[in-house]
Amino acid sequence: MRIYMDKNKQELQGVICNRCKKELTVENGVVKEGYFCGDSLFGYFSKKDGVKHSFDLCEECYDKIIESFAIPVKAEEINELL
């Protein structure tokens, strides 16, 4: 869950893990630890047609969730981080 300082959602004030409620470290609008940001817009043929879900997970909760996958996530090394 993201918390913003302004109504236009320009200045990030905080991020809270939707699974465990851990407050992530945010300094000057920048998250200072690993986390996963998920957004999904459900479309036709879904029971959630026209609904958008957004959530944030701390790195520990993300790791716990992907460990349960029957097919592992595809991971690759990236040399340049933007």
Side-chain angles (χ1 to χ4, degrees):
M1 178 177 107
R2 292 170 183 233
I3 302 164
Y4 292 93
M5 291 186 195
D6 60 327
K7 293 180 182 180
N8 296 327
K9 297 183 177 182
Q10 298 295 319
E11 285 189 62
L12 185 64
Q13 180 179 356
V15 178
I16 301 172
C17 177
N18 283 79
R19 185 171 182 264
C20 72
K21 298 183 182 178
K22 174 184 174 183
E23 292 187 30
L24 302 170
T25 304
V26 176
E27 293 178 9
N28 299 319
V30 177
V31 183
K32 296 288 190 168
E33 55 186 294
Y35 75 107
F36 174 83
C37 170
D39 286 310
S40 183
L41 177 58
F42 292 90
Y44 297 118
F45 313 110
S46 166
K47 293 178 183 174
K48 297 173 194 66
D49 187 14
V51 176
K52 180 181 178 182
H53 284 189
S54 299
F55 62 94
D56 297 291
L57 298 173
C58 67
E59 191 168 2
E60 292 80 17
C61 287
Y62 174 80
D63 288 341
K64 287 177 185 177
I65 289 172
I66 67 168
E67 284 174 4
S68 70
F69 288 0
I71 300 172
V73 298
K74 179 181 176 183
E76 59 184 280
E77 292 284 330
I78 304 297
N79 293 328
E80 293 187 35
L81 301 176
L82 299 175

Coordinates of all heavy atoms in Angstrom, one line a residue:
M1 N 0.9 -1.2 0.0 CA 0.0 0.0 0.0 C 0.9 1.2 0.0 O 1.8 1.3 0.8 CB -0.9 0.0 1.3 CG -1.8 1.2 1.4 SD -2.8 1.1 2.8 CE -2.0 2.3 3.8
R2 N 0.6 2.1 -0.8 CA 1.4 3.4 -1.0 C 0.7 4.5 -0.3 O -0.5 4.7 -0.4 CB 1.7 3.7 -2.4 CG 2.6 2.6 -3.0 CD 2.7 2.8 -4.5 NE 3.5 1.7 -5.0 CZ 4.6 1.9 -5.8 NH1 4.9 3.1 -6.2 NH2 5.3 0.9 -6.1
I3 N 1.5 5.4 0.3 CA 1.0 6.6 1.0 C 1.7 7.8 0.4 O 2.9 7.8 0.3 CB 1.2 6.5 2.5 CG1 0.6 5.3 3.1 CG2 0.7 7.8 3.2 CD1 1.1 4.9 4.5
Y4 N 0.9 8.7 -0.1 CA 1.5 9.9 -0.8 C 1.2 11.1 0.0 O 0.2 11.2 0.8 CB 0.8 10.0 -2.2 CG 1.2 9.0 -3.1 CD1 0.4 7.8 -3.3 CD2 2.4 9.0 -3.9 CE1 0.8 6.8 -4.2 CE2 2.7 8.1 -4.8 CZ 1.9 6.9 -4.9 OH 2.3 5.9 -5.8
M5 N 2.1 12.1 -0.1 CA 2.0 13.4 0.6 C 1.0 14.3 0.0 O 0.4 15.1 0.6 CB 3.4 14.1 0.6 CG 4.4 13.4 1.5 SD 5.8 14.5 1.5 CE 7.0 13.3 2.2
D6 N 0.7 14.1 -1.3 CA -0.1 15.0 -2.0 C -1.3 14.3 -2.8 O -1.2 13.1 -3.0 CB 0.7 15.9 -3.1 CG 1.4 15.0 -4.1 OD1 1.8 13.9 -3.8 OD2 1.5 15.5 -5.2
K7 N -2.3 15.0 -3.1 CA -3.4 14.4 -3.8 C -3.1 13.9 -5.2 O -3.8 13.0 -5.7 CB -4.6 15.3 -3.8 CG -5.2 15.6 -2.5 CD -6.3 16.6 -2.6 CE -6.8 17.0 -1.2 NZ -7.9 17.9 -1.2
N8 N -2.1 14.5 -5.8 CA -1.8 14.1 -7.2 C -0.9 12.8 -7.3 O -0.4 12.4 -8.3 CB -1.1 15.2 -7.9 CG -2.0 16.4 -8.1 OD1 -3.2 16.3 -8.3 ND2 -1.4 17.6 -8.0
K9 N -0.6 12.3 -6.1 CA 0.3 11.1 -6.0 C 1.6 11.3 -6.6 O 2.1 10.4 -7.4 CB -0.4 9.9 -6.6 CG -1.7 9.5 -5.8 CD -2.3 8.3 -6.4 CE -3.6 7.9 -5.5 NZ -4.2 6.7 -6.0
Q10 N 2.2 12.5 -6.4 CA 3.6 12.8 -6.9 C 4.7 12.5 -5.9 O 5.8 12.0 -6.3 CB 3.6 14.2 -7.4 CG 2.7 14.6 -8.5 CD 3.0 13.8 -9.8 OE1 4.2 13.7 -10.1 NE2 2.0 13.3 -10.5
E11 N 4.4 12.8 -4.6 CA 5.4 12.6 -3.6 C 5.1 11.4 -2.7 O 4.2 11.4 -1.9 CB 5.5 13.8 -2.7 CG 6.2 15.0 -3.4 CD 6.4 16.1 -2.4 OE1 7.2 15.9 -1.4 OE2 5.9 17.2 -2.6
L12 N 5.9 10.3 -2.8 CA 5.7 9.1 -2.0 C 6.2 9.4 -0.6 O 7.4 9.8 -0.4 CB 6.5 8.0 -2.7 CG 6.3 6.6 -2.0 CD1 4.9 6.1 -2.2 CD2 7.3 5.6 -2.7
Q13 N 5.3 9.1 0.3 CA 5.7 9.3 1.8 C 6.0 7.9 2.4 O 6.9 7.9 3.3 CB 4.5 9.9 2.5 CG 4.8 10.1 4.0 CD 3.6 10.8 4.6 OE1 2.6 11.2 4.0 NE2 3.6 11.0 5.9
G14 N 5.3 6.9 2.0 CA 5.5 5.6 2.7 C 5.0 4.4 1.8 O 4.1 4.6 1.0
V15 N 5.5 3.2 2.1 CA 5.0 2.0 1.5 C 4.8 1.0 2.6 O 5.7 0.8 3.4 CB 5.9 1.5 0.4 CG1 5.4 0.2 -0.2 CG2 6.2 2.5 -0.7
I16 N 3.7 0.3 2.7 CA 3.4 -0.7 3.7 C 3.1 -2.0 2.9 O 2.3 -2.0 2.0 CB 2.2 -0.3 4.6 CG1 2.5 1.0 5.3 CG2 1.9 -1.4 5.5 CD1 1.3 1.6 6.0
C17 N 3.7 -3.1 3.4 CA 3.5 -4.4 2.7 C 2.0 -4.8 3.0 O 1.6 -4.8 4.1 CB 4.4 -5.5 3.3 SG 4.2 -7.1 2.7
N18 N 1.3 -5.1 1.9 CA -0.1 -5.5 2.0 C -0.3 -6.9 2.7 O -1.3 -7.2 3.3 CB -0.7 -5.6 0.6 CG -1.1 -4.3 0.1 OD1 -0.2 -3.6 -0.4 ND2 -2.3 -3.9 0.2
R19 N 0.8 -7.7 2.8 CA 0.7 -9.0 3.4 C 1.0 -9.0 4.9 O 0.2 -9.6 5.7 CB 1.6 -10.0 2.7 CG 1.4 -11.4 3.1 CD 2.2 -12.4 2.2 NE 2.0 -13.8 2.6 CZ 2.9 -14.4 3.4 NH1 4.0 -13.8 3.9 NH2 2.6 -15.7 3.8
C20 N 2.1 -8.4 5.3 CA 2.5 -8.5 6.7 C 2.4 -7.1 7.4 O 2.7 -7.1 8.6 CB 3.9 -9.0 6.8 SG 5.2 -7.9 6.2
K21 N 2.1 -6.1 6.7 CA 2.0 -4.7 7.2 C 3.4 -4.1 7.6 O 3.4 -3.1 8.3 CB 1.1 -4.6 8.4 CG -0.4 -5.0 8.1 CD -1.3 -4.9 9.3 CE -2.7 -5.3 8.9 NZ -3.6 -5.2 10.1
K22 N 4.5 -4.6 7.1 CA 5.8 -4.0 7.4 C 5.9 -2.7 6.7 O 5.5 -2.6 5.6 CB 6.9 -5.0 6.9 CG 8.3 -4.4 7.0 CD 9.3 -5.2 6.4 CE 10.7 -4.6 6.4 NZ 11.7 -5.4 5.7
E23 N 6.4 -1.7 7.5 CA 6.6 -0.4 6.9 C 8.0 -0.3 6.2 O 9.0 -0.5 6.9 CB 6.4 0.7 7.9 CG 5.0 0.9 8.4 CD 4.8 2.0 9.4 OE1 5.6 3.1 9.2 OE2 4.0 1.9 10.3
L24 N 8.0 -0.1 4.9 CA 9.3 -0.1 4.2 C 10.0 1.3 4.4 O 9.3 2.3 4.6 CB 9.1 -0.4 2.7 CG 8.4 -1.7 2.5 CD1 8.0 -1.8 1.0 CD2 9.3 -2.8 2.8
T25 N 11.3 1.3 4.3 CA 12.0 2.5 4.5 C 11.9 3.4 3.3 O 12.2 2.9 2.2 CB 13.5 2.2 4.8 OG1 13.6 1.4 5.9 CG2 14.3 3.5 5.0
V26 N 11.4 4.6 3.4 CA 11.3 5.6 2.3 C 12.0 6.9 2.7 O 11.7 7.4 3.8 CB 9.8 5.9 2.0 CG1 9.7 6.9 0.9 CG2 9.1 4.6 1.6
E27 N 12.9 7.3 1.9 CA 13.6 8.6 2.1 C 13.5 9.5 0.9 O 13.9 9.0 -0.2 CB 15.1 8.3 2.5 CG 15.3 7.6 3.8 CD 16.8 7.3 4.0 OE1 17.7 7.8 3.3 OE2 17.1 6.5 4.9
N28 N 13.0 10.7 1.1 CA 12.9 11.6 0.0 C 12.1 11.0 -1.2 O 12.5 11.3 -2.3 CB 14.3 12.1 -0.5 CG 15.0 12.9 0.6 OD1 14.4 13.6 1.4 ND2 16.3 12.6 0.8
G29 N 11.1 10.3 -0.9 CA 10.3 9.7 -1.9 C 10.8 8.5 -2.6 O 10.2 8.0 -3.6
V30 N 11.9 7.9 -2.1 CA 12.6 6.8 -2.7 C 12.5 5.6 -1.7 O 13.0 5.7 -0.5 CB 14.0 7.1 -3.1 CG1 14.7 5.8 -3.6 CG2 14.1 8.2 -4.1
V31 N 12.1 4.4 -2.1 CA 12.0 3.2 -1.3 C 13.4 2.7 -1.2 O 14.1 2.4 -2.2 CB 11.1 2.2 -1.9 CG1 11.0 1.0 -0.9 CG2 9.7 2.7 -2.1
K32 N 13.9 2.5 0.0 CA 15.3 2.1 0.2 C 15.5 0.7 0.6 O 16.5 0.3 1.2 CB 15.9 3.0 1.4 CG 16.0 4.5 1.1 CD 17.0 4.7 0.1 CE 17.3 6.2 0.0 NZ 18.4 6.6 -0.8
E33 N 14.6 -0.2 0.1 CA 14.8 -1.6 0.3 C 14.0 -2.4 -0.8 O 13.2 -1.7 -1.5 CB 14.3 -2.1 1.7 CG 12.9 -1.7 2.1 CD 12.7 -2.1 3.6 OE1 12.7 -3.3 3.9 OE2 12.5 -1.2 4.4
G34 N 14.3 -3.6 -1.0 CA 13.6 -4.4 -2.0 C 12.1 -4.6 -1.7 O 11.8 -4.9 -0.6
Y35 N 11.3 -4.5 -2.8 CA 9.9 -4.8 -2.7 C 9.3 -5.1 -4.0 O 10.0 -4.9 -5.0 CB 9.2 -3.6 -2.0 CG 9.0 -2.4 -2.9 CD1 7.7 -2.1 -3.4 CD2 10.0 -1.5 -3.2 CE1 7.5 -1.0 -4.2 CE2 9.9 -0.4 -4.1 CZ 8.6 -0.2 -4.6 OH 8.4 0.9 -5.4
F36 N 8.1 -5.6 -4.0 CA 7.4 -5.9 -5.3 C 6.1 -5.1 -5.3 O 5.4 -5.0 -4.4 CB 7.0 -7.4 -5.3 CG 6.2 -7.8 -6.5 CD1 6.7 -8.1 -7.7 CD2 4.8 -7.9 -6.3 CE1 6.0 -8.4 -8.8 CE2 4.0 -8.2 -7.4 CZ 4.6 -8.5 -8.6
C37 N 5.9 -4.5 -6.5 CA 4.7 -3.7 -6.7 C 3.9 -4.4 -7.8 O 4.4 -4.7 -8.9 CB 5.2 -2.3 -7.2 SG 3.8 -1.3 -7.8
G38 N 2.7 -4.7 -7.4 CA 1.8 -5.4 -8.3 C 0.6 -4.6 -8.7 O 0.0 -4.0 -7.9
D39 N 0.3 -4.6 -10.0 CA -0.9 -4.0 -10.5 C -1.6 -4.9 -11.5 O -0.9 -5.5 -12.4 CB -0.6 -2.7 -11.3 CG -0.2 -1.5 -10.3 OD1 -1.0 -1.3 -9.4 OD2 0.8 -0.9 -10.6
S40 N -2.9 -5.1 -11.4 CA -3.6 -6.0 -12.4 C -4.9 -5.4 -12.7 O -5.7 -5.1 -11.8 CB -3.7 -7.4 -11.8 OG -4.3 -8.2 -12.8
L41 N -5.2 -5.2 -14.0 CA -6.5 -4.7 -14.4 C -7.2 -5.9 -15.0 O -6.8 -6.5 -16.0 CB -6.3 -3.6 -15.4 CG -7.6 -3.1 -16.1 CD1 -8.6 -2.6 -15.0 CD2 -7.3 -2.0 -17.1
F42 N -8.3 -6.4 -14.4 CA -9.0 -7.5 -14.9 C -9.9 -7.1 -16.0 O -10.6 -6.1 -16.0 CB -9.8 -8.2 -13.7 CG -8.9 -8.8 -12.7 CD1 -8.5 -8.0 -11.6 CD2 -8.5 -10.1 -12.8 CE1 -7.7 -8.6 -10.6 CE2 -7.7 -10.7 -11.8 CZ -7.3 -9.9 -10.8
G43 N -10.0 -8.0 -17.0 CA -10.8 -7.7 -18.2 C -11.9 -8.6 -18.4 O -12.3 -9.3 -17.5
Y44 N -12.3 -8.7 -19.7 CA -13.4 -9.6 -20.1 C -13.0 -11.1 -19.7 O -11.9 -11.4 -19.6 CB -13.6 -9.6 -21.6 CG -14.1 -8.2 -22.0 CD1 -13.3 -7.5 -22.9 CD2 -15.3 -7.7 -21.6 CE1 -13.8 -6.2 -23.4 CE2 -15.7 -6.4 -22.0 CZ -15.0 -5.7 -22.9 OH -15.4 -4.5 -23.3
F45 N -14.1 -11.8 -19.5 CA -14.0 -13.3 -19.1 C -13.4 -13.5 -17.7 O -13.1 -14.6 -17.3 CB -13.1 -14.0 -20.1 CG -13.5 -13.8 -21.5 CD1 -12.6 -13.1 -22.4 CD2 -14.7 -14.2 -22.0 CE1 -12.9 -12.8 -23.7 CE2 -15.0 -13.9 -23.4 CZ -14.1 -13.2 -24.2
S46 N -13.4 -12.4 -16.9 CA -12.9 -12.5 -15.5 C -14.1 -12.2 -14.6 O -15.0 -11.5 -14.9 CB -11.8 -11.4 -15.2 OG -11.6 -11.3 -13.9
K47 N -14.1 -12.8 -13.4 CA -15.1 -12.5 -12.4 C -14.9 -11.1 -11.8 O -15.8 -10.6 -11.1 CB -15.1 -13.5 -11.3 CG -15.6 -14.9 -11.8 CD -15.5 -15.9 -10.7 CE -15.9 -17.3 -11.3 NZ -15.7 -18.4 -10.4
K48 N -13.8 -10.5 -12.1 CA -13.5 -9.1 -11.6 C -13.4 -8.1 -12.8 O -12.6 -7.2 -12.8 CB -12.1 -9.2 -10.9 CG -12.1 -10.0 -9.7 CD -10.7 -10.1 -9.1 CE -10.5 -11.2 -8.1 NZ -10.7 -12.5 -8.7
D49 N -14.2 -8.3 -13.8 CA -14.2 -7.5 -15.0 C -14.3 -6.0 -14.7 O -15.2 -5.6 -14.0 CB -15.4 -7.9 -15.9 CG -15.4 -7.2 -17.3 OD1 -14.3 -6.6 -17.6 OD2 -16.4 -7.2 -17.9
G50 N -13.3 -5.2 -15.1 CA -13.2 -3.8 -14.9 C -12.7 -3.4 -13.5 O -12.8 -2.2 -13.2
V51 N -12.1 -4.3 -12.8 CA -11.6 -4.0 -11.5 C -10.1 -4.0 -11.5 O -9.5 -4.9 -12.1 CB -12.1 -5.0 -10.4 CG1 -11.4 -4.7 -9.1 CG2 -13.6 -5.0 -10.3
K52 N -9.4 -3.0 -10.9 CA -8.0 -2.9 -10.9 C -7.5 -3.2 -9.4 O -8.0 -2.6 -8.5 CB -7.5 -1.5 -11.3 CG -6.0 -1.4 -11.2 CD -5.5 0.0 -11.6 CE -4.0 0.0 -11.5 NZ -3.5 1.4 -11.8
H53 N -6.6 -4.1 -9.3 CA -6.0 -4.4 -8.0 C -4.5 -3.9 -8.0 O -3.8 -4.1 -8.9 CB -5.9 -6.0 -7.7 CG -7.2 -6.5 -7.4 ND1 -7.4 -7.9 -6.9 CD2 -8.5 -6.0 -7.3 CE1 -8.6 -8.1 -6.7 NE2 -9.3 -7.0 -6.9
S54 N -4.1 -3.3 -6.9 CA -2.8 -2.8 -6.7 C -2.3 -3.2 -5.3 O -3.1 -3.1 -4.4 CB -2.7 -1.3 -6.8 OG -3.2 -0.8 -8.1
F55 N -1.1 -3.6 -5.2 CA -0.5 -4.0 -3.9 C 1.0 -3.9 -3.9 O 1.6 -3.9 -5.0 CB -1.0 -5.4 -3.5 CG -0.6 -6.5 -4.4 CD1 0.6 -7.2 -4.2 CD2 -1.3 -6.8 -5.5 CE1 1.0 -8.2 -5.0 CE2 -0.9 -7.8 -6.4 CZ 0.2 -8.5 -6.1
D56 N 1.6 -3.9 -2.7 CA 3.0 -3.9 -2.5 C 3.4 -5.0 -1.5 O 2.7 -5.2 -0.6 CB 3.5 -2.5 -2.0 CG 3.2 -1.4 -3.0 OD1 3.8 -1.4 -4.1 OD2 2.3 -0.6 -2.7
L57 N 4.5 -5.7 -1.8 CA 5.0 -6.7 -0.9 C 6.4 -6.4 -0.5 O 7.2 -6.1 -1.4 CB 4.9 -8.1 -1.6 CG 3.5 -8.6 -2.0 CD1 3.7 -9.9 -2.8 CD2 2.7 -8.8 -0.8
C58 N 6.8 -6.6 0.7 CA 8.2 -6.5 1.1 C 8.9 -7.7 0.5 O 8.2 -8.7 0.0 CB 8.3 -6.5 2.6 SG 7.9 -8.1 3.5
E59 N 10.2 -7.7 0.4 CA 11.0 -8.7 -0.2 C 10.7 -10.1 0.5 O 10.7 -11.1 -0.2 CB 12.4 -8.4 -0.2 CG 13.3 -9.2 -1.1 CD 14.7 -8.7 -1.4 OE1 15.0 -7.7 -0.8 OE2 15.4 -9.4 -2.1
E60 N 10.6 -10.1 1.8 CA 10.4 -11.4 2.5 C 9.1 -12.0 2.1 O 9.0 -13.2 1.9 CB 10.5 -11.1 4.0 CG 11.9 -10.7 4.5 CD 12.2 -9.3 4.3 OE1 11.3 -8.4 4.1 OE2 13.4 -8.9 4.4
C61 N 8.0 -11.2 2.1 CA 6.7 -11.8 1.7 C 6.7 -12.2 0.2 O 6.1 -13.3 -0.1 CB 5.6 -10.8 1.9 SG 5.2 -10.6 3.7
Y62 N 7.4 -11.5 -0.6 CA 7.5 -11.9 -2.0 C 8.1 -13.2 -2.2 O 7.7 -14.1 -2.8 CB 8.3 -10.8 -2.8 CG 8.5 -11.2 -4.2 CD1 7.6 -11.1 -5.2 CD2 9.8 -11.7 -4.6 CE1 7.8 -11.5 -6.5 CE2 10.0 -12.1 -5.9 CZ 9.1 -12.0 -6.9 OH 9.3 -12.4 -8.1
D63 N 9.3 -13.4 -1.4 CA 10.0 -14.7 -1.5 C 9.1 -15.8 -1.0 O 9.1 -16.9 -1.6 CB 11.3 -14.6 -0.6 CG 12.3 -13.7 -1.3 OD1 12.2 -13.5 -2.5 OD2 13.2 -13.3 -0.6
K64 N 8.4 -15.6 0.1 CA 7.5 -16.7 0.6 C 6.4 -17.1 -0.4 O 6.1 -18.2 -0.6 CB 6.8 -16.2 1.9 CG 7.7 -16.2 3.1 CD 7.0 -15.6 4.3 CE 8.0 -15.5 5.4 NZ 7.4 -14.9 6.6
I65 N 5.9 -16.1 -1.1 CA 4.8 -16.4 -2.1 C 5.4 -17.1 -3.3 O 4.8 -18.1 -3.7 CB 4.1 -15.1 -2.6 CG1 3.2 -14.6 -1.4 CG2 3.3 -15.3 -3.8 CD1 2.6 -13.2 -1.6
I66 N 6.5 -16.7 -3.9 CA 7.0 -17.4 -5.1 C 7.6 -18.7 -4.8 O 7.7 -19.6 -5.6 CB 8.1 -16.5 -5.8 CG1 9.4 -16.3 -5.0 CG2 7.5 -15.2 -6.2 CD1 10.5 -15.7 -5.8
E67 N 8.0 -19.0 -3.5 CA 8.4 -20.4 -3.1 C 7.3 -21.4 -3.3 O 7.6 -22.6 -3.5 CB 8.9 -20.4 -1.7 CG 10.2 -19.8 -1.4 CD 10.6 -19.7 0.0 OE1 9.8 -20.2 0.9 OE2 11.6 -19.1 0.4
S68 N 6.0 -21.0 -3.3 CA 4.9 -21.9 -3.4 C 4.5 -22.1 -4.8 O 3.6 -23.0 -5.1 CB 3.7 -21.3 -2.6 OG 3.2 -20.2 -3.3
F69 N 5.1 -21.5 -5.8 CA 4.8 -21.6 -7.2 C 5.2 -23.0 -7.7 O 6.3 -23.5 -7.4 CB 5.5 -20.6 -8.1 CG 5.0 -19.2 -8.0 CD1 3.9 -18.8 -7.1 CD2 5.6 -18.2 -8.7 CE1 3.5 -17.5 -7.0 CE2 5.1 -16.9 -8.6 CZ 4.1 -16.6 -7.8
A70 N 4.3 -23.6 -8.5 CA 4.6 -24.9 -9.1 C 5.7 -24.8 -10.2 O 6.5 -25.6 -10.4 CB 3.4 -25.6 -9.7
I71 N 5.6 -23.6 -10.9 CA 6.6 -23.3 -11.9 C 7.4 -22.1 -11.4 O 6.8 -21.0 -11.1 CB 5.9 -23.0 -13.3 CG1 5.1 -24.1 -13.8 CG2 7.0 -22.5 -14.3 CD1 4.3 -23.8 -15.0
P72 N 8.7 -22.2 -11.2 CA 9.5 -21.1 -10.6 C 9.4 -19.9 -11.5 O 9.2 -19.9 -12.7 CB 10.9 -21.7 -10.6 CG 10.8 -23.1 -10.8 CD 9.5 -23.4 -11.5
V73 N 9.6 -18.7 -10.9 CA 9.7 -17.5 -11.6 C 11.0 -17.5 -12.5 O 11.9 -18.1 -12.2 CB 9.7 -16.2 -10.7 CG1 8.4 -16.1 -9.9 CG2 10.9 -16.2 -9.8
K74 N 10.9 -16.8 -13.6 CA 12.1 -16.6 -14.4 C 12.9 -15.5 -13.8 O 12.5 -14.4 -13.7 CB 11.7 -16.3 -15.9 CG 12.8 -16.1 -16.8 CD 12.4 -15.7 -18.2 CE 13.6 -15.5 -19.1 NZ 13.1 -15.0 -20.4
A75 N 14.2 -15.8 -13.5 CA 15.1 -14.8 -12.9 C 16.3 -14.6 -13.8 O 16.8 -15.6 -14.3 CB 15.5 -15.2 -11.5
E76 N 16.7 -13.4 -14.0 CA 17.9 -13.2 -14.8 C 18.6 -12.0 -14.2 O 18.1 -11.1 -13.6 CB 17.5 -12.9 -16.3 CG 16.6 -11.7 -16.5 CD 16.2 -11.5 -18.0 OE1 17.0 -11.0 -18.7 OE2 15.1 -12.0 -18.3
E77 N 20.0 -12.0 -14.4 CA 20.8 -11.0 -13.8 C 20.7 -9.7 -14.8 O 20.8 -9.9 -16.0 CB 22.3 -11.4 -13.7 CG 22.5 -12.5 -12.7 CD 22.5 -11.9 -11.3 OE1 22.9 -10.7 -11.1 OE2 22.1 -12.7 -10.4
I78 N 20.6 -8.6 -14.2 CA 20.6 -7.3 -14.9 C 21.8 -6.5 -14.4 O 22.0 -6.3 -13.2 CB 19.3 -6.5 -14.6 CG1 18.1 -7.3 -15.0 CG2 19.3 -5.2 -15.4 CD1 17.9 -7.7 -16.4
N79 N 22.7 -6.1 -15.4 CA 23.9 -5.4 -15.0 C 23.7 -3.9 -14.7 O 24.4 -3.4 -13.9 CB 24.9 -5.6 -16.1 CG 25.4 -7.0 -16.2 OD1 25.4 -7.8 -15.2 ND2 25.7 -7.4 -17.4
E80 N 22.8 -3.3 -15.4 CA 22.6 -1.9 -15.2 C 21.2 -1.6 -14.6 O 20.2 -2.0 -15.2 CB 22.7 -1.1 -16.5 CG 24.1 -1.1 -17.1 CD 24.2 -0.2 -18.3 OE1 23.6 0.8 -18.4 OE2 25.0 -0.6 -19.2
L81 N 21.2 -1.1 -13.4 CA 19.9 -0.8 -12.7 C 19.6 0.7 -12.9 O 20.5 1.5 -12.7 CB 20.0 -1.1 -11.2 CG 20.3 -2.6 -10.9 CD1 20.5 -2.7 -9.4 CD2 19.2 -3.5 -11.4
L82 N 18.4 1.0 -13.3 CA 18.0 2.4 -13.6 C 17.4 3.0 -12.4 O 16.7 2.4 -11.6 CB 17.1 2.5 -14.8 CG 17.7 2.0 -16.1 CD1 16.7 2.1 -17.2 CD2 18.9 2.9 -16.5

